[in-house]
Amino acid sequence: MRVIMVVPTYQEADNIAWILQRLRTARPDVDVLVVDDNSPDGTGRIADDLAAADPQVHVLHRVNKGGLGAAYRHGFAHALEAGYDVIGEMDADGSHQPEQLHRLLDAIEGTDGGPAADLVIGSRWVPGGTVVNWPRRREALSRGGNLYVRVLLGISVKDATAGFRLFRRDALEKLELESVRSTGYVFQTDMVVRALRAGLTVREVPIEFVERVRGDSKMSGKVAVESLRRITAWGLRERREQVRRLWSRRSAQEEWSR
């Protein structure tokens, strides 16, 4: 399989060389695509230097900071066009450890004893998953947010907001990226729900998630609340649509029985 990891960046000059070196060391067979949103700290220039020295590192430069989801859509589309078989995503800050990528790769191929998958999620909240250096408030926010997502959207995935993932190319093609409108962190949940609605096989594997030690986190309480607000509006629309379809089917059945 040809595998590529899409790594979106904004203001990650302190981390980008460090995380790419770890990724290339842990999995020399995996390519990397950095998608930089015109970082003013020079992240994009550092990525270009790394790409010039390593043909398996590639860089896309976006003009503006358009949000996490927009960066991933851009990167995924580029990877699909380039013919990759498996397209992954991970953060640039070290939260997602490249040394654990093999767990996701084994799961997508089914060589870990489980079924092969269309989407694999590196999960913090399945048995064996852990977080390091998180305050209790942030852990409670993440656990509570994911519980809320499960109840509201009627899904079983424990960590729908996680950002360490692998997709098979045919799975992304079925999800029709051009129809995805999510731009922020809600993009992660959106893609999980779309995959489940499309009947794709989604698996979670445990990872150790490590809080960043350098640079500033893009996730704040305000961002998390805004994401949940958008998920609420989206989820309620989904439920209304489900009720409408159920009512239409029931009306049709009643009409047929007359």
Side-chain angles (χ1 to χ4, degrees), residues 208-224:
E208 180 186 68
F209 180 96
V210 181
E211 175 66 344
R212 71 158 65 226
V213 295
R214 295 183 290 195
D216 297 322
S217 175
K218 313 304 186 297
M219 174 59 75
S220 64
K222 181 178 179 180
V223 170

Side-chain angles (χ1 to χ4, degrees), residues 22-254:
R22 287 175 59 189
L23 177 55
R24 297 289 294 118
T25 299
R27 295 297 308 204
D29 56 330
V30 171
D31 290 0
V32 187
L33 174 61
V34 177
V35 182
D36 186 64
D37 274 6
N38 197 24
S39 298
D41 68 348
T43 301
R45 291 193 299 275
I46 298 172
D48 283 337
D49 291 341
L50 295 169
D54 186 342
Q56 288 180 250
V57 175
H58 313 276
V59 185
L60 286 178
H61 295 277
R62 288 161 47 82
V63 176
N64 298 308
K65 188 176 186 294
L68 184 72
Y72 273 132
R73 290 203 312 271
H74 194 171
F76 289 170
H78 181 87
L80 287 170
E81 185 177 351
Y84 285 93
D85 303 301
V86 174
I87 300 164
E89 58 174 84
M90 63 181 291
D91 291 346
D93 61 8
S95 298
H96 303 141
Q97 300 180 72
E99 297 79 10
Q100 296 183 354
L101 178 57
H102 67 92
R103 300 182 185 179
L104 282 68
L105 289 166
D106 289 345
I108 206 162
E109 292 189 86
T111 57
D112 62 346
D118 300 300
L119 164 59
V120 177
I121 301 171
S123 178
R124 298 161 290 188
W125 309 130
V126 294
T130 58
V131 295
V132 177
N133 296 330
W134 260 18
R136 289 184 179 178
R137 179 177 177 275
R138 185 168 178 188
E139 180 173 345
L141 181 64
S142 180
R143 286 184 180 274
N146 274 285
L147 175 60
Y148 180 72
V149 167
R150 290 200 300 277
V151 172
L152 179 66
L153 301 179
I155 63 176
S156 60
V157 171
K158 297 293 193 299
D159 200 351
T161 61
F164 196 14
R165 303 181 174 191
L166 295 178
F167 294 87
R168 288 189 180 273
R169 72 169 291 113
D170 55 353
L172 283 178
E173 289 168 343
K174 287 179 182 177
L175 297 182
E176 300 179 343
L177 283 172
E178 64 276 6
S179 70
V180 179
R181 295 290 177 263
S182 305
T183 57
Y185 285 88
V186 71
F187 172 81
Q188 308 291 21
T189 302
D190 192 352
M191 293 296 284
V192 170
V193 174
R194 285 171 179 265
L196 292 171
R197 299 285 190 265
L200 302 180
T201 301
V202 179
R203 288 187 58 192
E204 294 181 89
V205 296
I207 61 164
E208 180 186 68
F209 180 96
V210 181
E211 175 66 344
R212 71 158 65 226
V213 295
R214 295 183 290 195
D216 297 322
S217 175
K218 313 304 186 297
M219 174 59 75
S220 64
K222 181 178 179 180
V223 170
V225 169
E226 175 63 15
S227 294
L228 289 177
R229 186 185 69 80
R230 291 179 179 274
I231 289 171
T232 299
W234 173 42
L236 291 176
R237 280 199 307 272
E238 287 274 307
R239 287 301 174 91
R240 285 197 297 268
E241 182 62 21
Q242 290 172 5
V243 170
R244 187 193 66 78
R245 289 196 297 267
L246 179 61
W247 182 261
S248 296
R249 285 198 298 268
R250 182 174 297 174
S251 298
Q253 289 170 353
E254 291 176 352

